[in-house]
Amino acid sequence: MSNEQVGMPQFPKPIWKEEVEIPIFSALVEDIEVDVAIVGGGITGITTAYLLTKKGYKVAIIEAGELLNGTTAHTTAKITAQHGLIYDELIRNNGKEQAKLYYEANEEALKFIKTTIEELQIDCDFSQEDAYIYTNSEDYISKLEAEATAYRELGINGEMINNIPVDIPVKAALIMRNQAQFHPLKYLKILIEYIQKEGGLIFEKTTATDVDYSDQPIVITKEGLNVACKFVCACSHFPFYDGLGFYPTRMYAERSYLIAVKTNKDVPGGMYINAEQPTRSFRTMTLNGEKVLLVGGENHKTGQGIPTILHYEALEEFAKNEFGMNEFLFRWSAQDLTTLDKIPYIGRITNNHDQVLVATGFRKWGMTNSTVSAILLADIISDTENKYEDLFSPSRFNANPSVKEFITTNLDVAKHLIEGKLEYPLRDINDLANDEGSVVNVNGKRAGAYKDADGKVYVVDTTCTHLGCEIEWNSGDRTWDCPCHGSRFSIVGDVIEGPAETPLGKVDLD
């Protein structure tokens, strides 16, 4: 094996883009009318468009940036219903029936992906693998035992075991059998080709900003062009349109980190995640004919916590200690949203806006939850009965634990809003080294500055354009991140991730 890349790569890049060339699409240049406008060009939007196209609907996908450049390209690509320690909690908070529906929905998503791969003969490195939650902490053994009991109650194919196939310290583990993994971009590229072939429209560099909800929904774009339709599907990660659903108050954003490395120790098949914190999640894949280990974890609320580069370093240390890392190939990070009760919001955005549908809050388990979303959205649009509609309804409210989480989430937002406004930055732009960013003092006011490798300085207003919180520097990815609702901006202030829709203000140094 090569030792060319021993140290950490300077810039983040997901491994999934290495072997796949996704087609490029033009921006919308005129008003159009379709049956369904799908906002968001990730796995949720593309799968929804694929299903609706098969049903005979005329669809248009509208993507603000490039297809498959967001969360979908930054995944670990595990196709599994094992979403951490969730089923015991769902039984306690939502009841056995709802917990079973959650499991069945995600199992059906796995089967849908497998069937689609077979029908379209997609070469996407799909393989059936067992999934494992393991612990090396005495404190978590009882939690694994409770989860194993939930598995038995729900009829999940799994059990408590004493060890895993990987040679790392483990006190106990819980297996869920016959799950899967794949290469998401290889899979979705074929779905994109199908959509195109069947007359579906796809537009990149087209930002949806609002919905005019009068006689029929009209998606309004930043560029001033409109897409008239019968239904709108907001598949844009954070909903681009709120419809008085108050989504910023009902979800919080978390970042997590991944690295791709070559190891000295052979790692067998299977997908693994630990129960305790900090999270360590790993699986193998093949790149250019060689086995590569993906290691993820280190989750935290967006814009909060330690310097983000330290999270990559922690994963690197884990890979070295447990597997004997010999080449560092890629590093990247992901962002996902968690709802109040940990179940995604999928369906009509509010009861009063039944032609605007939403899919969000996948809690880092997007490969199955996105597919659950696509199937459910397509069924709602085609007036097909779906037994999961009530479970995922965005209008639901479960008092336990939603009240507590609502208060906690919004107190955290208020705390960071106030702290950001009161913070007085002491650093000066002249203090910055090359390739360093920081909150700085410019003429007595808070600003955000980044000095690139050539010494050029970029300065932005640090007030988030969503709801006015103060952004923080993300040293690992070289972005400005909002600690309140997870908006992210580039070094020049452009929006990378919503809910913010407009760029950061520029700061004049003259």
Side-chain angles (χ1 to χ4, degrees), residues 354-397:
D354 60 355
Q355 290 171 282
V356 181
L357 312 179
V358 67
T360 187
F362 298 161
R363 200 175 61 90
K364 299 184 178 70
W365 300 104
M367 295 299 100
T368 51
N369 276 323
S370 62
T371 306
V372 170
S373 300
I375 295 168
L376 179 50
L377 296 183
D379 282 349
I380 291 172
I381 289 168
S382 61
D383 199 23
T384 302
E385 186 177 351
N386 187 306
K387 67 179 182 180
Y388 306 115
E389 187 170 348
D390 289 343
L391 171 68
F392 293 108
S393 171
S395 299
R396 71 181 184 274
F397 187 81

Side-chain angles (χ1 to χ4, degrees), residues 89 93 249-252 301 338-342 345 397-412:
E89 182 178 346
N93 291 333
T249 70
R250 299 168 60 208
M251 295 189 292
Y252 62 87
K301 285 191 174 181
T338 297
T339 68
L340 299 177
D341 60 4
K342 299 185 180 178
Y345 297 136
F397 187 81
N398 179 21
N400 181 20
S402 292
V403 171
K404 178 183 175 183
E405 288 302 319
F406 180 85
I407 294 170
T408 301
T409 297
N410 290 287
L411 282 176
D412 185 65

Side-chain angles (χ1 to χ4, degrees), residues 90-110:
L90 288 178
I91 289 172
R92 286 186 282 108
N93 291 333
N94 300 73
K96 182 176 174 181
E97 183 180 345
Q98 297 286 80
K100 189 173 180 63
L101 285 172
Y102 182 85
Y103 167 70
E104 289 175 348
N106 283 278
E107 272 291 296
E108 286 185 20
L110 191 163

Side-chain angles (χ1 to χ4, degrees), residues 305-335:
I306 63 175
T308 51
I309 197 68
L310 298 180
H311 295 293
Y312 288 111
E313 291 174 356
L315 295 179
E316 179 183 17
E317 190 68 18
F318 174 78
K320 285 179 178 177
N321 290 342
E322 302 298 344
F323 305 105
M325 190 184 97
N326 94 3
E327 188 173 351
F328 200 140
L329 299 172
F330 297 90
R331 67 177 178 93
W332 67 99
S333 65
Q335 180 155 311

Side-chain angles (χ1 to χ4, degrees), residues 69-334:
N69 201 39
T71 304
T72 301
H74 294 77
T75 176
T76 51
K78 297 176 178 179
I79 313 169
T80 179
Q82 190 185 66
H83 296 173
L85 298 176
I86 187 67
Y87 292 104
D88 174 62
E89 182 178 346
L90 288 178
I91 289 172
R92 286 186 282 108
N93 291 333
N94 300 73
K96 182 176 174 181
E97 183 180 345
Q98 297 286 80
K100 189 173 180 63
L101 285 172
Y102 182 85
Y103 167 70
E104 289 175 348
N106 283 278
E107 272 291 296
E108 286 185 20
L110 191 163
K111 291 172 184 173
F112 171 86
I113 292 172
K114 185 173 186 288
T115 300
T116 301
I117 290 168
E118 291 168 352
E119 286 179 354
L120 300 181
Q121 298 182 319
I122 305 174
D123 181 7
C124 60
D125 308 329
F126 178 88
S127 63
Q128 298 267 186
E129 306 283 352
D130 292 335
Y132 301 84
I133 306 173
Y134 69 92
T135 185
N136 198 35
S137 167
E138 293 286 349
D139 296 337
Y140 276 80
I141 292 175
S142 61
K143 295 180 180 181
L144 282 179
E145 289 172 341
E147 189 76 353
T149 300
Y151 277 27
R152 289 192 295 273
E153 288 185 27
L154 300 176
I156 296 173
N157 184 6
E159 63 180 329
M160 194 90 161
I161 53 179
N162 294 324
N163 51 51
I164 61 177
V166 182
D167 183 21
I168 61 174
V170 170
K171 287 185 166 49
L174 181 62
I175 183 173
M176 184 182 288
R177 296 186 179 88
N178 300 324
Q179 303 302 288
Q181 62 186 35
F182 71 159
H183 191 305
L185 269 59
K186 289 181 180 179
Y187 169 75
L188 291 165
K189 182 179 180 180
I190 304 303
L191 268 59
I192 292 167
E193 291 173 359
Y194 180 94
I195 294 163
Q196 279 187 285
K197 185 181 72 174
E198 297 300 318
L201 305 175
I202 302 175
F203 302 99
E204 295 182 323
K205 308 293 185 187
T206 304
T207 304
T209 58
D210 203 356
V211 176
D212 180 354
Y213 203 89
S214 49
D215 294 336
Q216 70 179 80
I218 299 174
V219 176
I220 301 169
T221 69
K222 181 181 177 182
E223 297 75 19
L225 298 169
N226 298 331
V227 181
C229 53
K230 298 182 180 70
F231 289 92
V232 180
C233 293
C235 303
S236 51
H237 196 45
F238 204 105
F240 80 99
Y241 173 73
D242 191 78
L244 296 179
F246 303 105
Y247 287 89
T249 70
R250 299 168 60 208
M251 295 189 292
Y252 62 87
E254 281 196 334
R255 295 205 68 72
S256 57
Y257 300 81
L258 295 103
I259 63 174
V261 300
K262 292 181 182 178
T263 61
N264 296 324
K265 183 190 295 186
D266 183 53
V267 182
M271 304 178 296
Y272 306 87
I273 189 168
N274 65 337
E276 61 268 31
Q277 295 293 326
T279 301
R280 295 290 179 265
S281 170
F282 57 94
R283 58 158 286 200
T284 59
M285 67 168 291
T286 301
L287 179 68
N288 298 322
E290 292 189 276
K291 184 181 281 190
V292 173
L293 180 69
L294 308 185
V295 180
E298 290 287 306
N299 54 298
H300 64 87
K301 285 191 174 181
T302 301
Q304 303 181 25
I306 63 175
T308 51
I309 197 68
L310 298 180
H311 295 293
Y312 288 111
E313 291 174 356
L315 295 179
E316 179 183 17
E317 190 68 18
F318 174 78
K320 285 179 178 177
N321 290 342
E322 302 298 344
F323 305 105
M325 190 184 97
N326 94 3
E327 188 173 351
F328 200 140
L329 299 172
F330 297 90
R331 67 177 178 93
W332 67 99
S333 65

